[in-house]
Amino acid sequence: MRRISLWMMLLSACSPQPEQEQPEAGGDPEPEAPAVTAQRAAAPVTDPRDVDFAASLEVDLDAMSLQASGLYVQVLREGEGPPAAPGDSMGVAYTVWLPDGSKLDASADHSPPVPLPMVLGRTRLIDGWTEGVTGMRQGEKRRLVVPYDLGYGAQGRPPQVPTYSALVFEVELASHVPAGGD
């Protein structure tokens, strides 16, 4: 099976696809196909509190800080130095899983195994990743639970990321050069 790198997924345009147009009100509705009706009957799980996370991921939302955006952040190891801010050059080691525990990608799995290089706020990434690494300090490690709307949206990123999928990241700030620094 061909594996698509999360690096490419993270660096690609991550804006949600436009919603499909709905028929105008007042007209005769077209009958829905049975498959569409079945899909609508099973509402998607959109709130991370309603997601069944695999025990191996050690996700405890009650132990995490809930951000106003809906992102959950847990500091697993404190770092040192100045906090990462927009414009800073960074190298972030990461692993990302689906809620069922399936690993999507890890920087350590690449050849060579190097952290993801980025410039915070300039490198195009999913919103949950950008928000989750902002403020990290050199050597800091965090667990992030990214709700679907801060990840790949309602459409997901088939076939790797299902629709409405939350993502679980462990990220570590491996290198950090503040903007204007050496």
Side-chain angles (χ1 to χ4, degrees):
M1 182 171 144
R2 185 171 162 247
R3 182 175 165 172
I4 296 179
S5 167
L6 181 66
W7 282 29
M8 299 312 295
M9 289 171 60
L10 285 171
L11 294 172
S12 67
C14 298
S15 59
Q17 296 176 356
E19 296 291 326
Q20 293 182 348
E21 289 187 30
Q22 300 296 320
E24 290 185 27
D28 290 332
E30 293 185 27
E32 293 184 359
V36 173
T37 304
Q39 286 177 343
R40 289 194 181 156
V45 177
T46 58
D47 183 343
R49 290 204 171 271
D50 295 330
V51 172
D52 291 324
F53 292 98
S56 61
L57 297 176
E58 300 179 15
V59 170
D60 179 2
L61 296 178
D62 292 330
M64 302 178 85
S65 298
L66 174 60
Q67 309 302 301
S69 66
L71 176 72
Y72 286 86
V73 178
Q74 181 179 20
V75 176
L76 301 173
R77 182 179 63 232
E78 297 287 338
E80 297 180 356
D88 291 359
S89 296
M90 305 165 60
V92 182
Y94 69 88
T95 304
V96 59
W97 298 270
L98 292 174
D100 67 4
S102 302
K103 183 167 77 169
L104 288 173
D105 193 25
S107 55
D109 294 343
H110 294 271
S111 181
V114 295
L116 176 67
M118 61 179 284
V119 176
L120 189 56
R122 292 191 196 137
T123 303
R124 202 168 158 90
L125 302 166
I126 61 173
D127 292 342
W129 171 282
T130 301
E131 181 180 347
V133 300
T134 299
M136 289 183 78
R137 299 173 188 275
Q138 179 86 31
E140 186 171 327
K141 186 173 185 177
R142 292 181 178 182
R143 178 174 295 124
L144 310 174
V145 173
V146 178
Y148 83 96
D149 56 333
L150 296 178
Y152 294 103
Q155 77 280 355
R157 189 72 178 229
Q160 293 82 12
V161 181
T163 59
Y164 293 99
S165 185
L167 300 170
V168 179
F169 284 89
E170 280 196 10
V171 293
E172 180 179 351
L173 185 55
S175 63
H176 178 217
V177 178
D182 294 322

